[in-house]
Amino acid sequence: MSGNVQLLTDTLASAKAEGRSALIAYLPAGFPTVDGGIEAVKAVFDGGADVVEVGLPHSDPVLDGPVIQTADDIALRGGVKIADVMRTVREAYEATRKPVLVMTYWNPIDRYGVERFTAELAEAGGAGCILPDLPVQESALWREHADKHGLATIFVVAPSSKDERLAEITAAGSGFVYAASLMGVTGTRASVGAQAENLVRRTRGTGTGLPVCVGLGVSDATQAAEVAGFADGVIVGSAFVKRMLDAPDHASGLAAVRELAGRLAQGVRGQA
């Protein structure tokens, strides 16, 4: 079975045709439980997300701040496995027919086996992977198997990335480019800042034509509207996870992330 890279491409193109940015949400698999995590992904889609990134919980998540680290720890203590990540992708895709990505560090894939991981992700209906710590120059094996199975390879660029490096990364990637709005880890912030707009401009300047989506720091509809003014997609993670962590019970958490997705969906449409 081929993966859904084309669905991801079409979804981003459709949002652009509507004159807006896409809303991309992040939630870790297995949080607060495997079943509960699947329900949360579906709730975010119900609220208005165009794409969801399913996080593969990791013991040393170098890009992630304390909120996502807490959720990852809950998932890992609950015994989450890669099979549960694949199940989350499958059930979310089958329920919504919308693009579902996996965001993961390289070590779990390396240990699991690249061919096995890509084949299973494609079979589950996944659209691709975001790989924040895989150097482009060491990505040939991954890209070979991802291409074979119809999966996007999404690399992360940062404000510190030189123009030459941006060109190398965008030439190797597919689906979209994940632009980290600032140096640091994930988390909600009072301001996303001008660095993000400059990074989007420089990334587009490489001429590959890949959509550029901005993450790290966006937490409300006003910020989403700000980022949507210059980016092809707005990525929100910690704000969703925090709603789940702060909720008094699971049903309240699902309602909270659905409601936040609705507000952010208005934001990317300029209705904040």
Side-chain angles (χ1 to χ4, degrees):
M1 177 177 173
S2 181
N4 276 310
V5 61
Q6 192 60 50
L7 177 61
L8 175 65
T9 299
D10 292 347
T11 298
L12 293 171
S14 177
K16 184 175 183 179
E18 293 174 18
R20 66 175 179 90
S21 287
L23 173 60
I24 303 173
Y26 166 94
L27 284 166
F31 167 71
T33 62
V34 175
D35 288 343
I38 292 168
E39 291 176 334
V41 172
K42 291 178 183 177
V44 168
F45 271 132
D46 287 345
D50 298 292
V51 181
V52 170
E53 305 169 10
V54 173
L56 195 162
H58 194 272
S59 57
D60 188 25
V62 293
L63 185 68
D64 297 309
V67 170
I68 291 175
Q69 286 182 24
T70 298
D72 276 6
D73 185 57
I74 290 168
L76 291 167
R77 284 191 283 113
V80 69
K81 301 287 191 293
I82 288 179
D84 300 314
V85 177
M86 298 299 179
R87 182 186 152 213
T88 301
V89 171
R90 176 181 291 105
E91 294 196 16
Y93 169 66
E94 288 180 350
T96 65
R97 297 292 160 176
K98 293 183 178 180
V100 185
L101 302 165
V102 168
M103 184 165 185
T104 179
Y105 298 97
W106 180 244
N107 181 256
I109 295 177
D110 192 39
R111 292 189 62 183
Y112 198 71
V114 176
E115 168 61 21
R116 181 185 177 193
F117 190 94
T118 52
E120 290 184 7
L121 181 56
E123 191 276 329
C129 255
I130 300 167
L131 301 160
D133 67 341
L134 177 63
V136 172
Q137 61 270 26
E138 297 176 23
S139 67
L141 178 65
W142 164 267
R143 287 187 285 129
E144 175 191 340
H145 288 288
D147 289 347
K148 181 172 78 173
H149 290 292
L151 298 169
T153 297
I154 298 160
F155 292 112
V156 178
V157 298
S160 60
S161 301
K162 305 297 184 188
D163 288 351
E164 181 181 343
R165 180 72 171 161
L166 289 178
E168 184 182 9
I169 291 171
T170 56
S174 55
F176 65 86
V177 180
Y178 186 125
S181 65
L182 36 75
M183 301 303 293
V185 297
T186 59
T188 61
R189 288 173 173 82
S191 174
V192 178
Q195 286 188 90
E197 186 169 3
N198 183 52
L199 177 58
V200 169
R201 180 186 56 77
R202 292 197 298 121
T203 304
R204 285 181 176 150
T206 62
T208 64
L210 279 180
V212 184
C213 303
V214 171
L216 273 65
V218 179
S219 61
D220 59 35
T222 301
Q223 289 175 329
E226 175 193 350
V227 173
F230 57 81
D232 299 295
V234 180
I235 303 169
V236 181
S238 295
F240 284 113
V241 177
K242 191 171 189 305
R243 295 293 193 286
M244 295 291 292
L245 286 169
D246 291 348
D249 54 63
H250 185 57
S252 300
L254 295 178
V257 295
R258 187 181 294 109
E259 189 265 346
L260 176 60
R263 290 193 181 192
L264 292 167
Q266 288 183 315
V268 299
R269 288 167 172 81
Q271 300 167 358

